Amino acid sequence: MQWKNVQLIYLREMRDQLRDRRTLCLIAVLPLLLYPLLGMSFFQLSQFLRTTAAEVCVVGAAEIAAEDWLPPLWQGAAFDAALFPRNAPRQASLQVVQVAELAEKSPDTASKTSEPLALAALAAGDVQVVVCFPPGFGSRLRLAREALMERSAAAAPANIPEPQIYFNSTNEKSRLAQLRVERVLQNWRQRVMRTNLQDSQVPLEAARPFGIQPQDVAAAPQRQAAMWSKVLPFFMFIWALTGAFYPAVDLCAGEKERGTLETLLTSPAQRREIVWGKLFTVMTFSMVTAVLNLASLGVTGTFVLAQFQSIESLSAGTGLLALPPASAVVWLLVALLPVAALFGALCLACAAFARSTKEGQYYLMPLLLVILPLMMLPMSPGVEFNLGHCLIPITGLVLLLRAVIEGQYWQALPFVVPVVGVTLGCCLLAIRWAEEQFQRESVLFGESERLDVGRWLVQLVRNRTATPSFAQAIFCVGAILVVQFFVNLALSAGAATRELEASFFTQTVLVSQVLCIALPALVMTWLFTSARKKTLLLDRLPAAGWVLMTALLAMLVRPLGMEFAEIILRIYPASTEITSRIGAFEEALALISNPWLLMLLLAALPAVCEEIAFRGFILSGLRRVGHKWWAIGLSAVAFGVVHPILQQQLAAAAVGLVLGYLAVQTGSLLLCILFHALYNGLGLLMSQQITADRVFQTPWCWILSDGDTSMFQPWVLAVCLIGTVGILGWLRGLPYQHTREEQLQEAREQQFAGA
Amino acid sequence: MIDNPLIETRALTKEYADLRGGPVTALDGLSFTVHAGEVFGLLGPNGAGKTTALRILSTVLQPTAGTARVAGFDCLTQPARVRHQIGFMSANTAVYDRMTAWEMVAYFGRLYGMEEEPLRARMELLFDRLQMQNIRDTLGAKMSTGMKQKVSIARAIVHDPPVLIFDEATSGLDVLVARALLDTVAELRDQGKCVVFSTHIMPEAERLCDRLAIMHEGKILAAGTLDALYQQYGPGNLEDIFFTLIRQGGRAYPRPHLGAASHSEGGTGPRPTPLVASKLESTS
């Protein structure tokens, strides 16, 4: 790839976009206008908010008026100011209307008694809340007070009728008023109690022996950071996506539509250079959009906040609102680069797939549907910053961003590598996907073909190729995951109803290996490929020397694998749920007394089934992409994903890399099966022998370390590492069989070699 | 001159998947060679496979079987090197709307790896020769078809390539502009360039081409110099020879499922297989 060409294409695309009025409007003018306009309309709305007071109709006012010892509940048309201890402005939001006034307003209803009259007014929306003091309320209160003053429990009335608050929950204003009236009445009740206690010479502490004072230890800046850490990433990511999408559609689908893509394709610029040039353009627009929006929001926010404080009725509760700290902004900008790269590549691939701008626009919605939940997930309360969540693309990045904005650097540190790794991996995958779209003739020149699923399937089977296609390999991974999901559901339902026994365990292992993993791969091999032995790498027998080397490699890699698993567990400890699952599995293992059966079930069977699927069908399909390391990497990830426990997935993916390399370099599935069976078998043997009490009775205990940081002696690990590297080096020297796509790719990469 | 052809195709075959009729063969064992200093004409109806063949030469498409070499480089395995050797122009290679004529030609010159000074000198020469100085700063969107065609020619020859490929380049042009284009092509041939020129317009082919291949349904029915063709198929004009050959080919023209209908024409009759039609035709 020549960076000079990438730069040329980038500069041209940038100039092209900047000359497009619509793009400029969307990217620059819209954010500059949007937030001031939003702020302005907010103030317009807040005017309406302030002018309306809820009307509260009081029925049975005489009950209270008759008792002059009661503290005042209202004065004129307002509740008593003393009942709003911390929020004086609220007093104006409630207006008291006597039921008699209602009767005066509408004389035709005079025949009704006061309560139905008030309720009718509530139903009509004339008043928002009705407060009814029942008959006898005042007199019973007085009796209770007198009983208290005389200290005679017998004289106290058994029950005082409760005042009713009527409201309409479908009316927002009514609901709000009800809450406020309730608070007013509660405060009034407090005052009644206080008056009673004072008058009967009981200290107030009798009713309220102590108070409770919540204390937030988070300093104000921290609280602000916590709030901004939730809002800002979401906000910025949305704008980064929007900013990437429209230029991407214009740069790919638009260029196809205008007929300039073929002009560019016949120039010496290679497809990869074109994709990178366009990607940088899309990224630039994505980042500029996000930054401009943030800045514009910040400026508008400063003004709005200043105004906020000046409006008394709105200022309560806004004490937390302040501009985000500078460190938050810096971290956001740091995260913006990978986010823009990821979104840019995704948008570019989608846009390259589209035949016209119109079709391109349609893809925004599905893209949002995939990305939005990933951005929302960190906001849900149960989502903690742990390894599992870290490995989810975008979610992990949002969580990491949140942690650093909140200043939790140390907690974030162990997760930097997985988050950056996953993000980088996704970026590369998306870019690769975009490149792939630019290579495909049907995408570049194809017009829409009538959709006909039946014919398409028939054609897939009838015109099957020697080895599976890339898409078929990916579909196979999907099929395995789906079958596994449903079988696991069924099995766990079965496990809940019956006792743990050996036969059930055997069935479970058989089903989960044969049905979930081997069967989908075998069926797809039979349906979609013509060279089946070649697809499953069974078309040749390995030499004896290779068999020995493979066996040796398995024995050398095993201790390294165990050590790696230990390290993973140490950095990312297993949750209690996982520990209990492992415990249950070990219990089930103990049920099987025949060691050979155990070896068959846990070493030989998975070796055969998983190798047929992952190094057979799937790897063969993935290799059609034309680059063996992409194929090996993707097959290793797929191999990891089908394992049930997260920590196990990481370890399995690492072994998957070795297995994939072995498969590509030797071209023999038998060797992979041998490696896999030995690897699993050795692991089983070791874990059976290394139990706490038997550990130093085994004949090979001398290779074990007695410290608790490592399982093996350091020299054992060193020997294994050197041996593994040596054998991998030997594998590298083997003349492996290139696929047609790999040959083509290599030839193309070397086309300038002699020049 | 005869010994080293600049373009050489051998048994070039291209198939497309099609859900309805099974795989469609767009090119069926196409073999021809073109040397420096000659104009080779590919003559055929819409859907004969001309555009597919030329797109393979320009490395935009990959052949299903067979080989194509340009200036000694393989189109499949050395596409970037091939593209350095060719100037490609077709009815599908548009100019950028939001770029001026000068910017557009300069952009492609730089992509071809030209240094700034030689590029500038070359562009001044080209803009003079093609009489484009007056549209130097005109945006593509504001150009007439003739102006766009000039820009396309300048873009295709800015790096002075030994091989030039014109695919239905005169389609949609008025007589004046088409005539100017043909003159330019003849001039390029006289400069010693190797030119492939595809068309379905017989008089153009008669006027311009040193050698011709008459294509139909992905195959070459006859090839040779005009004189040789006349000798073989009797005197008259190219059109007569063309119809004779197609009748001998056993099928009526045009072939139903690869008919002339396309997005640019909105033709009637049976709908062409979309994938194939878009690749095969470029004419209106």
Side-chain angles (χ1 to χ4, degrees), chain A residues 546-600:
Chain A
W546 292 18
V547 175
L548 279 178
M549 282 301 228
T550 306
L552 188 61
L553 182 66
M555 292 200 278
L556 290 172
V557 173
R558 184 69 255 194
L560 295 177
M562 288 180 116
E563 192 63 27
F564 183 57
E566 285 287 312
I567 293 173
I568 293 175
L569 270 177
R570 215 174 305 141
I571 303 178
Y572 312 110
S575 66
T576 45
E577 191 228 335
I578 288 175
T579 322
S580 72
R581 264 164 74 183
I582 297 175
F585 181 76
E586 277 168 359
E587 259 175 54
L589 278 191
L591 289 176
I592 295 177
S593 48
N594 185 346
W596 292 108
L597 179 65
L598 206 58
M599 280 293 166
L600 191 71

Side-chain angles (χ1 to χ4, degrees), chain A residues 19 259 262 267 441 751, chain B residues 14 62 83 92 98 103:
Chain A
R19 281 179 183 174
E262 198 174 337
S267 80
E441 293 172 3
Q751 57 183 316
Chain B
K14 179 75 184 173
Q62 291 181 11
R83 288 197 297 267
N92 295 326
R98 300 188 282 253
E103 286 169 347

Side-chain angles (χ1 to χ4, degrees), chain B residues 74-137:
Chain B
D74 188 273
C75 288
L76 186 65
T77 57
Q78 299 168 298
R81 304 210 73 171
V82 168
R83 288 197 297 267
H84 270 286
Q85 304 297 322
I86 59 168
F88 182 82
M89 186 186 152
S90 84
N92 295 326
T93 48
V95 301
Y96 287 106
D97 278 351
R98 300 188 282 253
M99 255 181 147
T100 66
W102 184 268
E103 286 169 347
M104 164 108 184
V105 179
Y107 172 55
F108 279 89
R110 289 187 193 116
L111 279 180
Y112 282 109
M114 295 176 76
E115 297 295 329
E116 284 306 310
E117 245 341 281
L119 174 65
R120 202 181 163 72
R122 170 84 180 155
M123 280 175 66
E124 289 290 355
L125 185 79
L126 280 180
F127 272 60
D128 281 336
R129 200 197 291 165
L130 294 167
Q131 295 169 348
M132 286 166 59
Q133 292 291 6
N134 55 334
I135 56 163
R136 217 175 140 121
D137 296 320

Side-chain angles (χ1 to χ4, degrees), chain B residues 95 97 101 134-135 138-152 172-174 177:
Chain B
V95 301
D97 278 351
N134 55 334
I135 56 163
T138 311
L139 283 181
K142 301 202 168 149
M143 288 182 201
S144 69
T145 316
M147 293 175 187
K148 283 182 184 168
Q149 209 67 13
K150 282 183 181 173
V151 177
S152 283
L173 299 185
D174 64 37
V177 183

